[in-house]
Amino acid sequence: MSGSGSGDGEEFVGWEEKPKPYIFYKDRPEWSDVQPVPQNDGPNPVVCIAYTPKFQDVYDYFRAIVHRNERSSRALKLTEDAAILNPANYTVWAYRRSIINDLKSDLDEELKLSTKMVFEHPKNYQIWFHRMAIIDWLKDPGDELSFIASVLELDSKNYHAWQHRQWLIRKFNLWEGELEFVSSLIDRDIRNNSAWNQRYFVISNFKDINSTDIVESEVEYSLNKIRLTPNNESPWNYLRGILQSQCLYKNTSLRAALDTMVNNNICSPFLEEFRVDIIEEQLEDGIGNKDELLDVAKDILDNLSNTLDTIRVNYWNYRLKKINRQYSNAADVE
Amino acid sequence: LSAVQILITLDALHKMNVDSCVSYITSLQCKDGSFTGDRVSGEVDTRFTFCAVATLSLLNRINDTINLDSAVQFIHRSSNFDGGFGVRPDSESHSGQVYCALGTLALLGRLSEVDGDQLGWWLCERQLPSGGLNGRPQKLPDVCYSWWVLSSLSIINRVHWISKNKLVEYILACQDIETGGIADRPGDWPDPFHTLFGLAGLSLL
């Protein structure tokens, strides 16, 4: 669903009629009172943008109305033309908002225009910001959650959509049901890092991330997903995040789950790194046999460097040196 | 930022009214320490923090202008459970934003406040088997991340955590044989943006 958004095409009015020809602003009688203002590129412009005549015409008139401080309904329409030609022009969007504010324009109509533009330019910062401003004015989330969901249908990792969703949820307290929404997205694509980020957002703000029950259930959730895709970075990062204030080696069910994966010959650099993290924790707290732990860590890290994740050999070597430096006897350190 | 960088590159900074530029930038800082991108919108993004801090640093006006502590606090609030940084608090970690966060902290001498090992690991995990770097977990590689990721690693002295050879291979594969420009991915059309960042990435290796 991509429109160029900047086409100079004519307005489509139906299969029967001839399309209405586009009339430049300079040729419109109702604009004859306005003196267009050309762009001032200075005396020796370099790397000039090759604007189309239509683009130049619209923006010459946009500059004119800004200079005159005109905030009328014709100015509003002009900003729409300008925004369609360059949706990234934040000056146009800001001026449009000032007109909307003055005229007390229909915000629901504005939201419809916004919807059209989001689908045409789903990664445009200004369009999303404008939408947030409109909803802020409306003071009503309406169907926004399902709108965002429909944008995520097209691109489940659309950064702007997720950010907008977070803003909406915080602003209007729409936490209820979000965890289920996140879970459904993870079910559809277990590797959707944005969904995992959103999960953390919900758990840490709406649920109690310090509650033992919540932590246990989130650990179980993560491990279940990890079992399905052991080489998926997202659930491993999430697991670490959920447990960041906790002592990993004391979590016996977690360790049992990881041991089972190892015994089942699951090959995953993330699993192996997690095992090293647990060993480091134990070494730091003086738990277990230091030499044995160091041996296991060395084996794991050697395996990572040489076989499992050779592209990051220097990182794994660093981990090995670090662990030896901190916990080996001086004689053992390379 | 770009304007100031160009003026400096062309030895023409003296032609600019530095004071008014500084007061403009200072006016963009919000109460919570974040920065907006302009005075008329109000959009907040860690990119704008970096732009503000970098510009003021280049102009040698970083002290006694903006509130440095609150700017840094906003950066920290934009950090995530995976060690990365997003556009604003709660937003997903993204290599471009990591660059902005690290750049800001580095310019303000506050790098020690970041866990270099954890962040370095998140950054080096951006490297895919093809050698290319992505911006977020499970996304496709893109040559521009050769800059965002590599410069971030460089700031924290961990460029060697990614495979240099494989990344070079990838960047060169993105170069279009006919035009010489560099594209986001092998086989795509080149453009100045990706050419700049591909070259910038190579310059760090």
Side-chain angles (χ1 to χ4, degrees):
Chain A
M1 210 192 231
S2 65
S4 67
S6 58
D8 279 19
E10 295 156 341
E11 207 181 301
F12 180 68
V13 292
W15 295 108
E16 308 289 321
E17 305 170 38
K18 257 183 93 167
K20 282 200 205 121
Y22 178 81
I23 304 173
F24 280 38
Y25 277 79
K26 63 178 165 62
D27 300 324
R28 299 183 196 188
E30 67 273 26
W31 280 91
S32 58
D33 60 307
V34 174
Q35 184 64 27
V37 176
Q39 181 163 297
N40 179 9
D41 279 344
N44 300 302
V46 290
V47 208
C48 295
I49 297 176
Y51 299 112
T52 62
K54 177 176 174 177
F55 189 102
Q56 250 175 310
D57 174 67
V58 168
Y59 273 86
D60 285 351
Y61 277 82
F62 174 70
R63 279 181 283 272
I65 54 152
V66 171
H67 282 217
R68 287 152 62 104
N69 224 357
E70 181 177 328
R71 290 185 171 82
S72 59
S73 59
R74 73 174 179 176
L76 187 66
K77 185 72 183 71
L78 173 57
T79 60
E80 184 180 333
D81 286 344
I84 287 168
L85 285 169
N86 182 6
N89 190 317
Y90 48 86
T91 308
V92 169
W93 285 111
Y95 198 75
R96 185 175 176 84
R97 281 192 292 278
S98 71
I99 298 174
I100 289 171
N101 192 42
D102 274 17
L103 298 184
K104 308 269 176 275
S105 310
D106 186 335
L107 295 177
D108 291 308
E109 279 307 304
E110 191 63 14
L111 209 56
K112 284 191 191 137
L113 171 68
S114 163
T115 297
K116 175 170 168 282
M117 297 212 70
V118 165
F119 283 114
E120 282 173 8
H121 309 279
K123 297 190 185 181
N124 175 299
Y125 287 91
Q126 290 70 37
I127 290 175
W128 281 101
F129 181 80
H130 186 72
R131 191 177 184 88
M132 183 180 85
I134 302 303
I135 293 174
D136 199 23
W137 277 340
L138 278 167
K139 300 198 188 321
D140 180 353
D143 289 326
E144 198 64 1
L145 279 179
S146 49
F147 167 75
I148 301 169
S150 65
V151 176
L152 292 173
E153 285 277 323
L154 300 174
D155 176 3
S156 62
K157 301 180 187 183
N158 184 321
Y159 199 96
H160 303 272
W162 282 110
Q163 262 193 246
H164 186 68
R165 196 173 179 91
Q166 287 178 339
W167 168 80
L168 195 82
I169 287 172
R170 273 200 189 277
K171 173 118 188 136
F172 296 103
N173 243 329
L174 301 173
W175 300 97
E176 206 68 57
E178 187 63 5
L179 192 61
E180 289 71 22
F181 177 74
V182 163
S183 298
S184 74
L185 265 110
I186 291 176
D187 284 343
R188 267 199 265 170
D189 178 5
I190 203 173
R191 295 178 178 84
N192 185 340
N193 194 66
S194 308
W196 284 98
N197 182 69
Q198 188 77 345
R199 192 174 186 93
Y200 192 85
F201 169 70
V202 175
I203 295 290
S204 56
N205 288 292
F206 184 52
K207 306 281 185 184
D208 180 8
I209 204 172
N210 294 311
S211 124
T212 325
D213 287 343
I214 299 285
V215 171
E216 253 175 48
S217 111
E218 288 305 299
V219 167
E220 198 45 44
Y221 181 87
S222 310
L223 288 172
N224 283 336
K225 301 306 179 197
I226 284 170
R227 284 181 199 108
L228 291 172
T229 52
N231 281 289
N232 178 0
E233 188 181 345
S234 304
W236 285 106
N237 284 354
Y238 182 76
L239 183 60
R240 271 208 180 77
I242 289 291
L243 294 170
Q244 62 190 309
S245 60
Q246 304 228 348
C247 180
L248 297 177
Y249 70 78
K250 284 188 186 160
N251 191 326
T252 44
S253 58
L254 170 69
R255 292 181 63 187
L258 298 179
D259 286 340
T260 308
M261 284 184 213
V262 173
N263 294 334
N264 289 340
N265 294 316
I266 301 285
C267 256
S268 159
F270 302 112
L271 168 61
E272 299 309 310
E273 180 167 25
F274 218 94
R275 294 173 68 203
V276 175
D277 286 351
I278 292 176
I279 290 173
E280 272 191 304
E281 250 192 18
Q282 290 173 287
L283 288 167
E284 189 169 329
D285 288 358
I287 305 290
N289 183 311
K290 187 181 85 163
D291 291 329
E292 265 174 38
L293 287 173
L294 280 171
D295 275 343
V296 176
K298 181 177 190 315
D299 282 343
I300 295 173
L301 290 166
D302 281 344
N303 185 32
L304 281 161
S305 300
N306 301 326
T307 314
L308 212 50
D309 195 32
T310 58
I311 205 169
R312 272 166 282 274
V313 55
N314 290 336
Y315 171 68
W316 302 119
N317 287 344
Y318 169 81
R319 289 293 299 266
L320 183 57
K321 282 202 183 107
K322 185 178 174 193
I323 213 171
N324 280 332
R325 193 175 51 236
Q326 270 178 289
Y327 303 108
S328 259
N329 300 324
D332 297 342
V333 178
E334 291 167 57
Chain B
L1 175 59
S2 299
V4 168
Q5 287 172 323
I6 291 169
L7 288 172
I8 290 175
T9 308
L10 299 176
D11 286 324
L13 191 63
H14 57 278
K15 298 194 180 186
M16 189 184 87
N17 183 334
V18 172
D19 281 340
S20 64
C21 179
V22 167
S23 76
Y24 173 74
I25 293 171
T26 310
S27 75
L28 297 176
Q29 186 169 31
C30 308
K31 284 203 195 86
D32 67 355
S34 65
F35 281 82
T36 57
D38 61 77
R39 273 193 198 152
V40 290
S41 307
E43 186 191 349
V44 162
D45 190 320
T46 42
R47 285 179 300 150
F48 304 142
T49 303
F50 174 72
C51 288
V53 169
T55 309
L56 291 173
S57 297
L58 284 169
L59 297 175
N60 268 319
R61 300 288 294 272
I62 194 67
N63 294 311
D64 302 325
T65 49
I66 58 170
N67 184 327
L68 300 177
D69 258 335
S70 69
V72 168
Q73 289 322 310
F74 178 73
I75 294 287
H76 285 311
R77 285 204 304 281
S78 304
S79 75
N80 292 316
F81 62 91
D82 54 10
F85 292 87
V87 162
R88 18 189 128 103
D90 302 330
S91 296
E92 190 184 356
S93 298
H94 184 287
S95 302
Q97 315 298 142
V98 169
Y99 168 76
C100 293
L102 282 180
T104 301
L105 294 174
L107 287 168
L108 299 180
R110 308 276 291 252
L111 267 183
S112 58
E113 296 171 29
V114 157
D115 182 342
D117 281 354
Q118 187 194 22
L119 188 50
W121 171 79
W122 188 89
L123 286 165
C124 77
E125 281 292 339
R126 295 309 105 237
Q127 190 163 37
L128 296 167
S130 64
L133 305 171
N134 63 18
R136 302 180 256 167
Q138 316 288 9
K139 295 277 283 180
L140 292 175
D142 184 322
V143 136
C144 69
Y145 293 114
S146 309
W147 171 254
W148 306 122
V149 173
L150 227 49
S151 53
S152 299
L153 283 169
S154 173
I155 291 170
I156 53 174
N157 289 317
R158 287 162 171 87
V159 173
H160 57 289
W161 282 9
I162 57 115
S163 160
K164 167 178 169 167
N165 292 339
K166 296 228 70 175
L167 179 57
V168 168
E169 232 177 77
Y170 181 82
I171 297 174
L172 294 180
C174 293
Q175 185 179 25
D176 180 56
I177 326 170
E178 278 160 31
T179 60
I182 300 177
D184 59 347
R185 257 161 237 130
D188 282 354
W189 284 115
D191 61 55
F193 178 88
H194 291 96
T195 303
L196 168 68
F197 291 118
L199 282 175
L202 287 172
S203 77
L204 288 175
L205 293 170

